[in-house]
Amino acid sequence: MDGQLHGDAVRVGGDARQRYHDSRGYGRPLDGNEIELSRVEAAHLLFRGDLDSVDGLGFREFFVESTRERERFGLRFLVYADLRGRGFYLSPAREGWPGSMDSTDSAKPVDSTDTAVTHDFVVYPRGKGPRDGAIEYRVRVIGERRAVGADELVAAASADESGFVLAVVDEESELTYFDASLAAASFDGGTDFEPSGSVEGTLLSDRVLCWDAPDDLYERGFYGQPLDGRDAKVDGGLQLSLVEAAALAADGTLVLGTDDDYETIVERGREVEGERFDRRLRVYATLRSRGVVPKTGYKFGADFRTYDAVKSVDDLGHSEHLIRVLRPDHVFAPRDLSLDVRLAGGVRKRMVFALTDADGTIEWLSVARLKP
Amino acid sequence: MDGQLHGDAVRVGGDARQRYHDSRGYGRPLDGNEIELSRVEAAHLLFRGDLDSVDGLGFREFFVESTRERERFGLRFLVYADLRGRGFYLSPAREGWPGSMDSTDSAKPVDSTDTAVTHDFVVYPRGKGPRDGAIEYRVRVIGERRAVGADELVAAASADESGFVLAVVDEESELTYFDASLAAASFDGGTDFEPSGSVEGTLLSDRVLCWDAPDDLYERGFYGQPLDGRDAKVDGGLQLSLVEAAALAADGTLVLGTDDDYETIVERGREVEGERFDRRLRVYATLRSRGVVPKTGYKFGADFRTYDAVKSVDDLGHSEHLIRVLRPDHVFAPRDLSLDVRLAGGVRKRMVFALTDADGTIEWLSVARLKP
């Protein structure tokens, strides 16, 4: 069989509808038995040897010509072929094509300018096709050198109930899939500790040292880190980070004896880490208010690791999430995203980006590696 | 026993020499039985209850006063106490103190300005002390908010044959130790593949597609990634990254048919990733020239992963290193260092920072987590 380019689609007649669309999910039906294939679909049929030519071109020539016309064609072809190889049927995300949504905003034609693209493909559940009405993933394809705005991921993740997947093609043409979703509901913890009474502290450089802190502040509330050790013969006190100290000073639990202890600590925080301190404190306090305990994520290169339900430090479970606090206008280099998500996966935690200005709402953007 | 501050050291008389220095490695001897302790050592003896006071101050008061005078005192105390708790004896790195080196450059007094510090402590081998003449580690202490220049790490790692260790105190006062060393000798691989003949390719966007490449280019040389799959009925070609393509064009193995194929590829590389491309290519080509095979490290958030000896892609061993290419004047945020090193450790690879300008030499700075 041979196809002909019409605009940016390839038309195939004969028994194409039965052969390619009805039985194997390629293209969209036109009148009669004719169908229209996207360039990527046509290239895949050429690649499989199921189509002989498009306007007389074989796979190689058609692939090269298409890549020259559409910069991301090669990337999209790799992802299309990979998902097909994994047993999925998928369609290009174009208005009027199978799986496309009603709203003209939600799925721009894939070959419009790169930035306008929400997603490139709709992928059907395994075993299902374009006529079954269900969508498993919406997939966007990027090269590893293309930066992605956090706001783009949030918009895409919240656009629809089907999963949003970012497929990154690295410089050697290998693929990584990231599942991006909003994770607000994940932070509903079961830690019910409330500090009783007040505790005195001394602000020292970039931490606060408390003397004579009640034991449960650490042992049940998991605030701070005791300054002790096997050699200690004196009570070395409880060391609090500045975010912990600010959170405890906010309701008067921690007392430094200054005019405004909370403001004193926040100012010190800003001195040592700038406005980032306000954003981190906001995330810290929000998590605490939801019964989730954040502790430093430094060893994992993150801002926090979190525990959903702390009863006692002696019986601490595995921490569930790693959190990195970012501005809402943050732009990810795909390589950095890969680093964070890979590390989190390796330690069996879920990576969440807490996107916030110092005084806005927090979007909890969860990103995980997906093996479709 | 009680001590008295003299300048920045604490003097203790009586039987202090036998009690603290000879038997347990604290301080340095003065005349007779008197010894001089650094503030950190004195604080540790107060903490242990072995010293009663310094100028009438107990542990708490002395600790707070010392931290107010020396911003990093608290951090150094934590590291000192931790290493003592792990069974090491250590001395402050000060001229004229035990373990100090002859050169006045190599160990500035710890309480001089922060930037002039090369290291804070000399740590003796476990079971040894200041009078045994051997040094296991030189340790520098920083807070997690203090950025560290790559050049500082290179200078410290190459200053002496003893190991250089960076001890990072995070915001919650937990410690992470990083061992930094120069790793040039690690890259002496056993891959002896030489391409035979030439191969034709087409430059497409940010990769090169080769048709009819000899099988051994991929299978023995581990160049590129075949465009194939279980569905393929046609030869889809071999996809090369731009660094691979440039390296193969340099000696004429890859032929695009332009006036200067190498320059054409390098220019495309610069278009898509700026001058970073030149630095990455330099590292790639250097590794290849040493018989080491670099492949993309994208999945690990690095520039390359490396294989010391590739005989056949079908029988590929575990890759040994992750490499991130940085400028020699790069400054690490300790949190980023933690992220890279933790990830590498989790996948049983060693993290190496290849520090290079496009046309200078390459310093191979290896950083690993250390559990002393």
Side-chain angles (χ1 to χ4, degrees):
Chain A
M1 304 266 290
D2 302 287
Q4 292 78 40
L5 264 172
H6 283 251
D8 207 49
V10 174
R11 293 194 184 167
V12 191
D15 62 352
R17 178 166 178 156
Q18 291 81 351
R19 193 198 285 209
Y20 300 134
H21 181 72
D22 292 352
S23 62
R24 286 147 65 206
Y26 287 93
R28 66 164 178 175
L30 298 177
D31 290 340
N33 277 328
E34 195 179 34
I35 62 165
E36 196 166 64
L37 301 165
S38 67
R39 279 181 176 264
V40 164
E41 291 174 309
H44 195 249
L45 286 167
L46 292 170
F47 185 60
R48 288 180 57 118
D50 290 333
L51 195 63
D52 298 313
S53 72
V54 173
D55 288 352
L57 304 178
F59 172 73
R60 290 186 184 187
E61 298 75 19
F62 183 71
F63 186 91
V64 169
E65 191 198 280
S66 297
T67 307
R68 290 211 162 122
E69 291 198 8
R70 308 290 178 191
E71 194 185 325
R72 292 189 312 121
F73 173 83
L75 309 185
R76 286 189 285 110
F77 176 80
L78 289 171
V79 171
Y80 184 89
D82 183 67
L83 288 169
R84 274 267 171 189
R86 291 171 188 270
F88 290 98
Y89 286 174
L90 59 163
S91 298
R94 295 188 186 185
E95 257 190 279
W97 283 59
S100 73
M101 279 162 282
D102 298 322
S103 160
T104 51
D105 292 333
S106 53
K108 300 257 169 53
V110 284
D111 285 319
S112 64
T113 66
D114 206 24
T115 50
V117 172
T118 302
H119 57 284
D120 295 285
F121 298 117
V122 290
V123 181
Y124 309 108
R126 204 177 253 116
K128 301 285 182 187
R131 297 186 304 170
D132 297 313
I135 293 176
E136 178 94 11
Y137 308 117
R138 287 164 294 125
V139 176
R140 176 167 170 196
V141 178
I142 61 169
E144 68 158 293
R145 297 183 176 102
R146 164 70 158 85
V148 189
D151 53 351
E152 295 177 72
L153 294 179
V154 168
S158 55
D160 188 65
E161 72 260 26
S162 62
F164 175 70
V165 173
L166 189 67
V168 182
V169 183
D170 71 27
E171 62 178 327
E172 288 179 5
S173 309
E174 293 207 33
L175 308 181
T176 307
Y177 295 96
F178 296 110
D179 166 44
S181 60
L182 299 187
S186 300
F187 296 103
D188 180 18
T191 309
D192 57 7
F193 174 79
E194 288 293 335
S196 55
S198 66
V199 53
E200 285 181 29
T202 306
L203 179 59
L204 290 175
S205 187
D206 62 354
R207 55 208 76 212
V208 167
L209 197 45
C210 299
W211 308 109
D212 308 311
D215 289 346
D216 68 355
L217 193 62
Y218 173 69
E219 288 171 10
R220 289 193 51 237
F222 207 6
Y223 283 98
Q225 166 86 352
L227 178 55
D228 56 16
R230 72 190 92 167
D231 292 338
K233 293 295 190 315
V234 299
D235 170 15
L238 185 68
Q239 308 162 91
L240 299 173
S241 72
L242 290 176
V243 282
E244 290 176 323
L248 287 170
D251 66 0
T253 299
L254 175 67
V255 177
L256 302 182
T258 66
D259 286 346
D260 185 336
D261 292 340
Y262 177 77
E263 202 48 38
T264 299
I265 296 166
V266 169
E267 275 169 22
R268 179 65 57 89
R270 287 174 191 151
E271 275 169 38
V272 297
E273 59 179 61
E275 56 76 48
R276 194 168 153 263
F277 182 78
D278 291 89
R279 288 184 287 120
R280 295 176 70 237
L281 177 56
R282 186 173 183 78
V283 170
Y284 180 93
T286 302
L287 289 167
R288 277 277 180 190
S289 75
R290 294 192 188 181
V292 172
V293 177
K295 294 294 282 186
T296 177
Y298 171 75
K299 282 185 166 53
F300 307 108
D303 286 296
F304 303 112
R305 66 187 195 277
T306 61
Y307 298 85
D308 281 352
V310 173
K311 300 293 176 204
S312 150
V313 166
D314 294 331
D315 182 28
L316 207 57
H318 180 73
S319 63
E320 295 88 2
H321 293 89
L322 290 183
I323 298 190
R324 187 183 283 280
V325 180
L326 299 171
R327 290 173 207 267
D329 62 359
H330 180 79
V331 175
F332 292 101
R335 196 162 287 213
D336 291 340
L337 200 57
S338 185
L339 183 56
D340 274 339
V341 171
R342 174 77 191 219
L343 177 71
V347 294
R348 294 177 297 121
K349 303 184 199 305
R350 193 162 174 100
M351 189 74 216
V352 174
F353 299 97
L355 307 169
T356 184
D357 288 322
D359 53 2
T361 54
I362 303 172
E363 294 278 14
W364 307 92
L365 175 67
S366 168
V367 181
R369 182 119 168 251
L370 179 80
K371 294 177 183 170
Chain B
M1 304 267 290
D2 303 288
Q4 291 80 40
L5 265 172
H6 284 251
D8 207 48
V10 173
R11 293 193 184 169
V12 191
D15 62 352
R17 177 166 179 157
Q18 290 81 351
R19 194 199 283 207
Y20 299 133
H21 181 72
D22 293 350
S23 62
R24 286 147 66 206
Y26 287 94
R28 67 164 177 174
L30 298 176
D31 291 338
N33 277 328
E34 195 179 34
I35 62 165
E36 196 166 64
L37 300 166
S38 68
R39 276 179 178 267
V40 164
E41 291 175 308
H44 194 250
L45 285 166
L46 291 168
F47 184 59
R48 289 179 58 117
D50 290 334
L51 195 64
D52 297 313
S53 72
V54 172
D55 288 352
L57 305 178
F59 172 72
R60 291 186 183 187
E61 298 77 18
F62 183 72
F63 186 92
V64 169
E65 191 197 279
S66 297
T67 307
R68 290 210 161 123
E69 292 199 6
R70 309 287 177 195
E71 195 185 326
R72 293 190 310 122
F73 173 84
L75 309 185
R76 286 190 284 111
F77 177 80
L78 289 171
V79 172
Y80 184 89
D82 183 67
L83 288 169
R84 273 265 170 190
R86 291 170 187 271
F88 290 98
Y89 286 175
L90 59 162
S91 298
R94 295 188 186 185
E95 256 191 278
W97 283 60
S100 72
M101 280 161 283
D102 298 324
S103 160
T104 51
D105 290 334
S106 53
K108 298 258 171 51
V110 283
D111 285 320
S112 64
T113 67
D114 206 24
T115 49
V117 172
T118 302
H119 57 284
D120 294 285
F121 298 117
V122 290
V123 182
Y124 308 107
R126 205 177 252 115
K128 301 285 182 187
R131 296 185 305 170
D132 297 313
I135 294 176
E136 179 94 10
Y137 307 118
R138 286 164 296 125
V139 177
R140 177 168 169 195
V141 179
I142 62 169
E144 69 157 292
R145 297 182 176 103
R146 164 70 159 84
V148 189
D151 54 351
E152 296 177 72
L153 294 179
V154 168
S158 55
D160 188 63
E161 73 260 26
S162 63
F164 176 71
V165 173
L166 189 66
V168 182
V169 184
D170 72 27
E171 63 178 326
E172 288 179 5
S173 308
E174 292 207 34
L175 308 181
T176 307
Y177 295 96
F178 295 110
D179 167 43
S181 60
L182 298 187
S186 300
F187 296 102
D188 179 17
T191 309
D192 57 7
F193 174 78
E194 290 292 334
S196 55
S198 67
V199 53
E200 284 181 30
T202 306
L203 180 59
L204 290 175
S205 187
D206 61 355
R207 57 206 76 213
V208 168
L209 198 45
C210 299
W211 309 110
D212 308 312
D215 289 345
D216 68 355
L217 194 62
Y218 174 69
E219 289 172 9
R220 289 194 49 237
F222 208 5
Y223 284 96
Q225 165 87 351
L227 178 56
D228 56 17
R230 73 190 91 167
D231 292 337
K233 293 293 188 315
V234 300
D235 171 15
L238 185 67
Q239 307 162 91
L240 299 172
S241 73
L242 290 176
V243 284
E244 290 176 323
L248 287 170
D251 67 0
T253 299
L254 176 66
V255 177
L256 302 184
T258 66
D259 287 344
D260 184 338
D261 293 341
Y262 177 77
E263 201 49 37
T264 300
I265 296 167
V266 169
E267 274 169 25
R268 180 65 56 89
R270 287 175 191 150
E271 275 169 37
V272 298
E273 59 180 62
E275 56 76 47
R276 196 169 149 263
F277 182 78
D278 290 90
R279 289 185 286 120
R280 293 176 70 238
L281 177 56
R282 186 174 184 78
V283 170
Y284 180 91
T286 302
L287 289 167
R288 278 277 180 190
S289 74
R290 294 192 187 181
V292 172
V293 176
K295 293 295 281 186
T296 178
Y298 170 75
K299 282 186 165 52
F300 308 108
D303 286 295
F304 303 112
R305 66 187 196 277
T306 63
Y307 298 85
D308 281 352
V310 172
K311 301 293 177 204
S312 151
V313 166
D314 294 331
D315 182 28
L316 206 58
H318 179 74
S319 64
E320 295 87 2
H321 293 90
L322 290 183
I323 298 190
R324 185 183 284 280
V325 179
L326 298 171
R327 290 173 207 266
D329 62 357
H330 181 79
V331 175
F332 292 101
R335 195 164 288 213
D336 292 339
L337 200 56
S338 185
L339 182 56
D340 275 338
V341 171
R342 174 78 190 218
L343 176 70
V347 294
R348 293 175 297 121
K349 302 184 199 306
R350 193 161 174 102
M351 188 74 216
V352 174
F353 299 97
L355 307 169
T356 184
D357 288 322
D359 54 2
T361 54
I362 303 172
E363 294 277 15
W364 307 92
L365 175 67
S366 168
V367 182
R369 182 120 167 251
L370 179 80
K371 295 179 182 169

